[in-house]
Coordinates of all heavy atoms in Angstrom, one line a residue:
M1 N -79.3 -8.9 21.8 CA -80.2 -9.2 20.7 C -79.8 -8.3 19.5 O -79.6 -7.1 19.6 CB -81.6 -9.0 21.1 CG -82.6 -9.4 20.1 SD -84.3 -9.2 20.6 CE -84.5 -10.8 21.4
S2 N -79.7 -8.9 18.3 CA -79.3 -8.2 17.1 C -80.4 -7.2 16.7 O -81.6 -7.4 17.0 CB -78.9 -9.1 16.0 OG -80.1 -9.7 15.5
V3 N -80.1 -6.3 15.9 CA -81.0 -5.3 15.4 C -82.1 -6.0 14.5 O -83.3 -5.7 14.6 CB -80.3 -4.1 14.6 CG1 -81.3 -3.2 14.0 CG2 -79.4 -3.4 15.5
N4 N -81.6 -6.9 13.7 CA -82.5 -7.6 12.8 C -83.5 -8.5 13.6 O -84.7 -8.5 13.3 CB -81.7 -8.6 11.9 CG -82.5 -9.1 10.7 OD1 -83.5 -8.4 10.3 ND2 -82.1 -10.2 10.2
R5 N -83.1 -9.1 14.6 CA -84.0 -9.9 15.4 C -85.0 -9.0 16.2 O -86.1 -9.4 16.3 CB -83.2 -10.8 16.4 CG -82.5 -11.9 15.8 CD -81.7 -12.8 16.8 NE -82.7 -13.4 17.7 CZ -82.3 -14.1 18.8 NH1 -81.0 -14.2 19.1 NH2 -83.2 -14.7 19.5
L6 N -84.5 -7.9 16.6 CA -85.4 -7.0 17.3 C -86.5 -6.4 16.4 O -87.6 -6.3 16.8 CB -84.6 -5.8 18.0 CG -85.2 -4.9 18.9 CD1 -85.8 -5.7 20.1 CD2 -84.3 -3.9 19.4
S7 N -86.1 -6.1 15.2 CA -87.0 -5.5 14.3 C -88.0 -6.6 13.8 O -89.2 -6.3 13.6 CB -86.4 -4.8 13.0 OG -85.7 -5.8 12.3
T8 N -87.6 -7.8 13.7 CA -88.5 -9.0 13.3 C -89.4 -9.2 14.5 O -90.7 -9.4 14.2 CB -87.6 -10.2 13.1 OG1 -86.7 -10.0 12.0 CG2 -88.5 -11.4 12.7
L9 N -89.0 -9.1 15.7 CA -89.9 -9.3 16.9 C -90.9 -8.2 16.9 O -92.1 -8.4 17.2 CB -89.0 -9.3 18.1 CG -89.7 -9.7 19.4 CD1 -90.3 -11.1 19.3 CD2 -88.8 -9.6 20.6
A10 N -90.4 -7.0 16.6 CA -91.4 -5.8 16.6 C -92.4 -6.0 15.6 O -93.6 -5.7 15.8 CB -90.6 -4.5 16.5
R11 N -92.0 -6.4 14.4 CA -92.9 -6.6 13.3 C -94.0 -7.6 13.6 O -95.2 -7.5 13.4 CB -92.2 -6.9 12.0 CG -93.0 -6.9 10.7 CD -92.2 -7.0 9.5 NE -91.0 -7.8 9.5 CZ -89.7 -7.2 9.6 NH1 -89.6 -5.9 9.5 NH2 -88.7 -8.0 9.6
Y12 N -93.5 -8.7 14.2 CA -94.4 -9.8 14.6 C -95.4 -9.3 15.7 O -96.6 -9.6 15.6 CB -93.6 -11.0 15.2 CG -94.5 -12.1 15.8 CD1 -95.1 -13.0 14.9 CD2 -94.7 -12.2 17.1 CE1 -95.9 -14.0 15.4 CE2 -95.5 -13.2 17.7 CZ -96.1 -14.1 16.8 OH -96.9 -15.1 17.3
G13 N -94.9 -8.5 16.6 CA -95.8 -7.9 17.7 C -96.8 -7.0 17.1 O -97.9 -7.0 17.5
Q14 N -96.4 -6.2 16.1 CA -97.3 -5.2 15.5 C -98.4 -5.9 14.7 O -99.5 -5.5 14.6 CB -96.6 -4.2 14.6 CG -95.9 -3.2 15.5 CD -95.1 -2.2 14.6 OE1 -94.5 -2.6 13.6 NE2 -95.2 -0.9 14.9
L15 N -98.1 -7.1 14.1 CA -99.0 -7.8 13.3 C -99.9 -8.8 14.1 O -100.9 -9.3 13.6 CB -98.3 -8.6 12.2 CG -97.5 -7.7 11.1 CD1 -96.7 -8.6 10.2 CD2 -98.5 -6.8 10.4
S16 N -99.5 -9.0 15.3 CA -100.3 -10.0 16.1 C -101.5 -9.4 16.7 O -101.6 -8.1 16.9 CB -99.4 -10.5 17.3 OG -98.3 -11.2 16.8
K17 N -102.5 -10.2 17.0 CA -103.7 -9.8 17.7 C -103.4 -9.6 19.2 O -102.4 -10.3 19.7 CB -104.8 -10.8 17.5 CG -105.3 -10.8 16.1 CD -106.5 -11.7 15.9 CE -107.0 -11.7 14.5 NZ -108.3 -12.5 14.4
A18 N -104.1 -8.8 19.8 CA -103.9 -8.6 21.3 C -104.0 -9.9 22.0 O -103.3 -10.2 23.0 CB -104.9 -7.6 21.8
Q19 N -105.0 -10.8 21.7 CA -105.1 -12.1 22.3 C -103.8 -13.0 22.2 O -103.5 -13.6 23.1 CB -106.3 -12.9 21.8 CG -107.6 -12.3 22.1 CD -108.1 -11.3 20.9 OE1 -107.4 -11.1 20.0 NE2 -109.2 -10.8 21.1
T20 N -103.2 -12.9 21.0 CA -102.0 -13.7 20.8 C -100.9 -13.2 21.8 O -100.2 -14.0 22.4 CB -101.5 -13.6 19.4 OG1 -102.6 -14.0 18.5 CG2 -100.3 -14.4 19.1
I21 N -100.7 -11.9 21.9 CA -99.7 -11.4 22.8 C -100.1 -11.7 24.2 O -99.2 -12.0 25.0 CB -99.6 -9.8 22.6 CG1 -99.0 -9.6 21.1 CG2 -98.6 -9.2 23.6 CD1 -99.0 -8.2 20.7
E22 N -101.4 -11.5 24.6 CA -101.8 -11.8 25.9 C -101.5 -13.2 26.3 O -101.2 -13.5 27.5 CB -103.3 -11.5 26.1 CG -103.8 -11.6 27.5 CD -105.3 -11.3 27.6 OE1 -106.0 -11.5 26.6 OE2 -105.7 -10.8 28.6
R23 N -101.7 -14.2 25.4 CA -101.5 -15.6 25.7 C -100.0 -16.0 25.7 O -99.7 -17.1 26.1 CB -102.3 -16.4 24.7 CG -103.8 -16.3 24.9 CD -104.5 -17.2 23.9 NE -106.0 -16.9 24.0 CZ -106.7 -16.7 22.9 NH1 -106.3 -16.8 21.7 NH2 -108.0 -16.4 23.1
A24 N -99.2 -15.2 25.2 CA -97.7 -15.5 25.2 C -97.2 -15.6 26.6 O -97.6 -14.9 27.5 CB -97.0 -14.5 24.4
P25 N -96.2 -16.5 26.8 CA -95.6 -16.6 28.1 C -94.9 -15.3 28.5 O -94.5 -14.5 27.6 CB -94.6 -17.7 28.0 CG -94.5 -18.1 26.5 CD -95.6 -17.4 25.8
Q26 N -94.9 -15.1 29.8 CA -94.4 -13.8 30.3 C -93.1 -13.2 29.7 O -93.1 -12.1 29.2 CB -94.4 -13.8 31.8 CG -94.0 -12.5 32.5 CD -94.7 -11.3 31.9 OE1 -95.9 -11.3 31.6 NE2 -94.0 -10.2 31.8
P27 N -92.1 -13.9 29.7 CA -90.8 -13.3 29.1 C -91.0 -12.9 27.6 O -90.6 -11.8 27.2 CB -89.7 -14.3 29.2 CG -90.3 -15.4 30.2 CD -91.8 -15.3 30.1
R28 N -91.7 -13.7 26.9 CA -91.9 -13.4 25.5 C -92.9 -12.2 25.3 O -92.7 -11.4 24.4 CB -92.5 -14.6 24.7 CG -92.7 -14.3 23.2 CD -92.5 -15.6 22.4 NE -92.8 -15.4 21.0 CZ -92.0 -15.0 20.1 NH1 -90.7 -14.8 20.4 NH2 -92.3 -14.8 18.9
R29 N -93.9 -12.2 26.1 CA -94.9 -11.0 26.0 C -94.1 -9.7 26.3 O -94.3 -8.7 25.6 CB -96.0 -11.2 27.1 CG -97.0 -10.2 27.0 CD -98.2 -10.3 28.0 NE -98.3 -11.7 28.5 CZ -98.7 -12.0 29.7 NH1 -98.9 -11.1 30.6 NH2 -98.8 -13.3 30.0
T30 N -93.3 -9.7 27.3 CA -92.6 -8.5 27.6 C -91.6 -8.1 26.5 O -91.5 -6.9 26.1 CB -91.8 -8.7 29.0 OG1 -92.7 -9.0 30.0 CG2 -91.0 -7.4 29.3
A31 N -91.0 -9.1 25.9 CA -90.0 -8.9 24.8 C -90.8 -8.3 23.6 O -90.3 -7.4 22.9 CB -89.3 -10.1 24.4
L32 N -92.0 -8.9 23.3 CA -92.8 -8.4 22.2 C -93.2 -7.0 22.4 O -93.0 -6.1 21.5 CB -94.0 -9.3 22.0 CG -93.9 -10.6 21.3 CD1 -95.1 -11.4 21.5 CD2 -93.6 -10.3 19.8
L33 N -93.7 -6.7 23.5 CA -94.2 -5.3 23.8 C -93.1 -4.3 23.8 O -93.2 -3.2 23.3 CB -95.0 -5.3 25.1 CG -96.3 -6.1 25.0 CD1 -97.0 -6.1 26.4 CD2 -97.3 -5.5 24.0
T34 N -92.0 -4.7 24.4 CA -90.8 -3.8 24.4 C -90.3 -3.5 23.0 O -90.0 -2.4 22.7 CB -89.7 -4.4 25.3 OG1 -90.2 -4.6 26.6 CG2 -88.5 -3.5 25.4
A35 N -90.2 -4.5 22.2 CA -89.7 -4.4 20.8 C -90.7 -3.5 20.0 O -90.3 -2.6 19.3 CB -89.6 -5.7 20.1
V36 N -92.0 -3.7 20.2 CA -93.0 -2.8 19.5 C -92.8 -1.4 19.9 O -92.8 -0.5 19.1 CB -94.4 -3.3 19.7 CG1 -95.4 -2.3 19.3 CG2 -94.6 -4.7 19.0
V37 N -92.7 -1.1 21.2 CA -92.6 0.2 21.7 C -91.3 0.9 21.2 O -91.4 2.1 20.8 CB -92.7 0.3 23.3 CG1 -92.3 1.7 23.8 CG2 -94.1 -0.1 23.7
R38 N -90.2 0.2 21.2 CA -89.0 0.7 20.7 C -89.1 1.1 19.2 O -88.6 2.1 18.8 CB -87.8 -0.2 21.0 CG -87.4 -0.3 22.4 CD -86.2 -1.2 22.6 NE -85.1 -0.5 21.9 CZ -83.8 -1.0 21.9 NH1 -83.6 -2.0 22.7 NH2 -82.9 -0.4 21.3
Q39 N -89.8 0.2 18.5 CA -89.9 0.5 17.1 C -90.8 1.7 16.8 O -90.5 2.6 16.0 CB -90.6 -0.8 16.4 CG -90.8 -0.7 14.9 CD -89.5 -0.8 14.2 OE1 -88.5 -1.4 14.7 NE2 -89.4 -0.4 13.0
L40 N -91.9 1.8 17.6 CA -92.8 3.0 17.5 C -92.1 4.3 17.9 O -92.3 5.3 17.2 CB -94.1 2.8 18.3 CG -95.0 1.7 17.7 CD1 -96.1 1.5 18.7 CD2 -95.5 2.0 16.4
V41 N -91.3 4.2 18.9 CA -90.5 5.4 19.3 C -89.5 5.8 18.2 O -89.4 7.0 17.9 CB -89.8 5.2 20.7 CG1 -88.8 6.2 21.0 CG2 -90.8 5.1 21.8
A42 N -88.8 4.8 17.7 CA -87.9 5.1 16.6 C -88.6 5.8 15.4 O -88.1 6.7 14.8 CB -87.1 3.9 16.2
Q43 N -89.8 5.2 15.0 CA -90.5 5.8 13.9 C -91.0 7.2 14.2 O -90.9 8.1 13.4 CB -91.7 4.9 13.6 CG -91.4 3.6 12.9 CD -92.6 2.7 12.8 OE1 -93.7 3.0 13.3 NE2 -92.4 1.6 12.1
A44 N -91.4 7.5 15.5 CA -91.9 8.8 15.9 C -90.7 9.8 15.8 O -90.9 10.9 15.4 CB -92.5 8.8 17.3
V45 N -89.5 9.4 16.3 CA -88.4 10.3 16.2 C -88.0 10.6 14.7 O -87.7 11.7 14.4 CB -87.2 9.7 17.0 CG1 -85.9 10.4 16.7 CG2 -87.5 9.7 18.5
D46 N -88.0 9.5 13.9 CA -87.7 9.7 12.5 C -88.7 10.7 11.9 O -88.3 11.6 11.1 CB -87.7 8.4 11.7 CG -86.5 7.6 12.0 OD1 -85.5 8.1 12.6 OD2 -86.5 6.4 11.7
D47 N -90.0 10.5 12.2 CA -91.0 11.4 11.6 C -90.8 12.8 12.1 O -91.0 13.8 11.3 CB -92.4 10.9 12.0 CG -92.8 9.6 11.3 OD1 -92.1 9.2 10.3 OD2 -93.8 9.0 11.7
A48 N -90.5 13.0 13.4 CA -90.3 14.3 13.9 C -89.1 15.0 13.3 O -89.2 16.2 12.9 CB -90.2 14.3 15.4
L49 N -88.1 14.3 13.1 CA -86.9 14.9 12.4 C -87.1 15.2 11.0 O -86.7 16.2 10.5 CB -85.7 13.9 12.5 CG -85.1 13.8 13.9 CD1 -84.0 12.7 14.0 CD2 -84.5 15.1 14.5
G50 N -87.9 14.3 10.3 CA -88.3 14.6 8.9 C -89.1 15.9 8.8 O -88.9 16.7 7.9
L51 N -90.1 16.0 9.7 CA -90.9 17.2 9.7 C -90.1 18.5 10.0 O -90.3 19.5 9.4 CB -92.1 17.0 10.7 CG -93.0 18.2 10.9 CD1 -93.7 18.5 9.6 CD2 -94.0 17.9 12.0
F52 N -89.2 18.4 11.0 CA -88.3 19.5 11.3 C -87.5 19.9 10.1 O -87.4 21.1 9.8 CB -87.4 19.1 12.5 CG -86.5 20.2 12.9 CD1 -87.0 21.3 13.5 CD2 -85.1 20.1 12.6 CE1 -86.1 22.3 13.9 CE2 -84.3 21.1 13.0 CZ -84.8 22.2 13.7
A53 N -87.0 18.9 9.4 CA -86.2 19.2 8.2 C -87.0 20.0 7.2 O -86.5 20.9 6.5 CB -85.6 18.0 7.6
V54 N -88.2 19.5 6.9 CA -89.1 20.2 6.0 C -89.4 21.6 6.4 O -89.4 22.5 5.6 CB -90.4 19.3 5.8 CG1 -91.5 20.1 5.0 CG2 -90.1 18.1 5.1
L55 N -89.8 21.8 7.7 CA -90.1 23.1 8.2 C -88.9 24.1 8.1 O -89.1 25.2 7.7 CB -90.6 23.0 9.6 CG -91.9 22.4 9.8 CD1 -92.2 22.2 11.3 CD2 -93.0 23.1 9.2
M56 N -87.7 23.6 8.4 CA -86.6 24.4 8.3 C -86.2 24.7 6.9 O -85.9 25.9 6.6 CB -85.3 23.7 9.0 CG -85.5 23.7 10.5 SD -85.8 25.3 11.3 CE -84.3 26.2 10.9
A57 N -86.4 23.8 6.0 CA -86.1 24.0 4.6 C -87.1 25.1 4.0 O -86.7 26.0 3.3 CB -86.2 22.7 3.8
N58 N -88.3 24.9 4.4 CA -89.4 25.9 4.0 C -89.0 27.3 4.5 O -89.1 28.3 3.8 CB -90.8 25.5 4.4 CG -91.4 24.6 3.5 OD1 -91.0 24.4 2.3 ND2 -92.5 23.9 3.9
R59 N -88.6 27.3 5.7 CA -88.3 28.7 6.3 C -87.1 29.3 5.6 O -87.1 30.5 5.4 CB -88.1 28.5 7.8 CG -87.8 29.7 8.6 CD -87.7 29.6 10.0 NE -87.6 30.8 10.7 CZ -87.4 31.0 11.9 NH1 -87.3 29.9 12.7 NH2 -87.3 32.2 12.5
L60 N -86.1 28.5 5.4 CA -84.9 29.0 4.8 C -85.1 29.4 3.3 O -84.7 30.4 2.8 CB -83.8 28.0 4.9 CG -83.2 27.7 6.3 CD1 -82.2 26.6 6.2 CD2 -82.6 29.0 6.9
I61 N -85.9 28.5 2.6 CA -86.2 28.8 1.2 C -87.0 30.0 1.1 O -86.8 30.8 0.2 CB -86.8 27.5 0.5 CG1 -85.8 26.4 0.4 CG2 -87.4 27.9 -0.8 CD1 -86.3 25.1 0.0
S62 N -88.1 30.2 2.0 CA -89.0 31.3 1.9 C -88.2 32.6 2.1 O -88.4 33.6 1.4 CB -90.1 31.2 3.0 OG -90.9 30.1 2.7
S63 N -87.3 32.7 3.1 CA -86.6 33.9 3.3 C -85.6 34.2 2.2 O -85.4 35.3 1.8 CB -85.9 33.9 4.7 OG -85.0 32.8 4.8
A64 N -85.0 33.1 1.7 CA -84.1 33.3 0.5 C -84.9 33.8 -0.7 O -84.4 34.7 -1.4 CB -83.4 32.0 0.2
R65 N -86.1 33.3 -0.9 CA -86.9 33.7 -2.0 C -87.3 35.2 -1.9 O -87.3 36.0 -2.8 CB -88.1 32.8 -2.1 CG -88.9 33.1 -3.4 CD -90.1 32.1 -3.5 NE -89.5 30.8 -3.9 CZ -89.9 29.6 -3.4 NH1 -91.0 29.6 -2.7 NH2 -89.4 28.5 -3.8
R66 N -87.7 35.6 -0.6 CA -88.1 37.0 -0.4 C -86.9 37.9 -0.6 O -87.0 39.0 -1.2 CB -88.6 37.1 1.0 CG -90.0 36.7 1.2 CD -90.6 37.1 2.6 NE -89.8 36.7 3.7 CZ -90.0 35.5 4.3 NH1 -90.9 34.7 3.9 NH2 -89.2 35.3 5.4
A67 N -85.7 37.5 -0.2 CA -84.5 38.3 -0.4 C -84.2 38.5 -1.9 O -83.9 39.5 -2.3 CB -83.3 37.7 0.4
S68 N -84.3 37.4 -2.6 CA -84.1 37.4 -4.0 C -85.1 38.3 -4.7 O -84.7 39.1 -5.6 CB -84.2 36.0 -4.6 OG -84.1 36.0 -6.0
D69 N -86.4 38.2 -4.3 CA -87.4 39.1 -4.9 C -87.1 40.6 -4.6 O -87.2 41.4 -5.5 CB -88.8 38.7 -4.4 CG -89.3 37.4 -4.9 OD1 -88.7 36.9 -5.9 OD2 -90.3 36.9 -4.3
R70 N -86.6 40.9 -3.4 CA -86.3 42.3 -3.1 C -85.1 42.8 -3.9 O -85.2 43.9 -4.4 CB -86.0 42.4 -1.6 CG -87.1 42.5 -0.7 CD -86.7 42.9 0.7 NE -85.7 42.0 1.3 CZ -86.1 41.0 2.1 NH1 -87.3 40.7 2.3 NH2 -85.1 40.2 2.6
E71 N -84.1 41.9 -4.1 CA -83.0 42.3 -4.9 C -83.4 42.5 -6.4 O -83.0 43.5 -7.0 CB -81.9 41.2 -4.9 CG -81.2 41.1 -3.6 CD -80.2 40.0 -3.5 OE1 -79.9 39.4 -4.6 OE2 -79.7 39.7 -2.4
R72 N -84.3 41.7 -6.9 CA -84.7 41.8 -8.3 C -85.5 43.1 -8.4 O -85.3 43.8 -9.5 CB -85.6 40.6 -8.6 CG -85.6 40.3 -10.1 CD -86.3 39.0 -10.5 NE -85.7 37.9 -9.9 CZ -86.3 36.9 -9.3 NH1 -87.7 36.9 -9.2 NH2 -85.7 35.8 -8.8
L73 N -86.4 43.4 -7.5 CA -87.2 44.6 -7.6 C -86.3 45.9 -7.5 O -86.5 46.9 -8.1 CB -88.2 44.7 -6.4 CG -89.4 43.8 -6.7 CD1 -90.3 43.7 -5.4 CD2 -90.2 44.2 -7.9
A74 N -85.2 45.8 -6.7 CA -84.3 46.9 -6.5 C -83.5 47.2 -7.8 O -83.1 48.3 -8.0 CB -83.3 46.6 -5.4
M75 N -83.3 46.2 -8.6 CA -82.6 46.4 -9.9 C -83.4 47.0 -11.0 O -82.9 47.4 -12.0 CB -82.0 45.0 -10.3 CG -80.9 44.6 -9.5 SD -80.0 43.2 -10.4 CE -80.1 41.9 -9.2
L76 N -84.8 46.9 -10.8 CA -85.6 47.4 -11.9 C -85.6 48.9 -11.9 O -85.4 49.6 -10.9 CB -87.1 47.0 -11.6 CG -87.4 45.5 -11.8 CD1 -88.8 45.3 -11.3 CD2 -87.2 45.1 -13.2
P77 N -85.7 49.5 -13.1 CA -85.6 51.0 -13.2 C -86.9 51.5 -12.6 O -88.0 50.9 -12.6 CB -85.6 51.2 -14.7 CG -86.0 50.0 -15.4 CD -85.8 48.9 -14.4
P78 N -86.8 52.7 -12.0 CA -87.9 53.3 -11.4 C -89.0 53.6 -12.4 O -88.7 54.0 -13.6 CB -87.4 54.6 -10.8 CG -86.0 54.8 -11.1 CD -85.6 53.5 -11.9
G79 N -90.2 53.5 -12.0 CA -91.1 53.8 -13.0 C -92.4 53.8 -13.1 O -93.3 54.0 -13.8

């Protein structure tokens, strides 16, 4: 199954009511639910990686900012 068809199936499954999915014939119901779960897992992984990138950037930027502040203070004349 192509990626486009799988994402279309997932979108249809997410927009469908539970009764619609429940009434679908067995192979289609399983395909719908599988596509939805795969889509949600992919979104969760993307969100987790995005959050990790933000946290790492904050951590790196914060320590670089502190080091820069220390260097700037060290250059000031005593006083």
Side-chain angles (χ1 to χ4, degrees):
M1 183 176 279
S2 73
V3 174
N4 193 28
R5 288 180 66 187
L6 191 59
S7 66
T8 301
L9 189 61
R11 192 170 29 257
Y12 175 78
Q14 285 179 317
L15 296 174
S16 296
K17 292 185 176 183
Q19 294 91 358
T20 304
I21 296 173
E22 185 180 27
R23 291 181 189 134
Q26 181 47 37
R28 180 149 175 89
R29 184 181 335 145
T30 301
L32 278 168
L33 294 174
T34 302
V36 168
V37 168
R38 286 186 64 174
Q39 182 76 20
L40 292 174
V41 167
Q43 287 174 355
V45 169
D46 286 348
D47 289 347
L49 290 174
L51 178 60
F52 179 72
V54 168
L55 291 173
M56 290 306 294
N58 273 344
R59 185 173 183 187
L60 294 173
I61 290 170
S62 293
S63 57
R65 188 174 290 143
R66 283 192 304 272
S68 175
D69 289 346
R70 278 194 302 270
E71 288 175 14
R72 206 173 298 137
L73 287 173
M75 286 194 237
L76 292 175

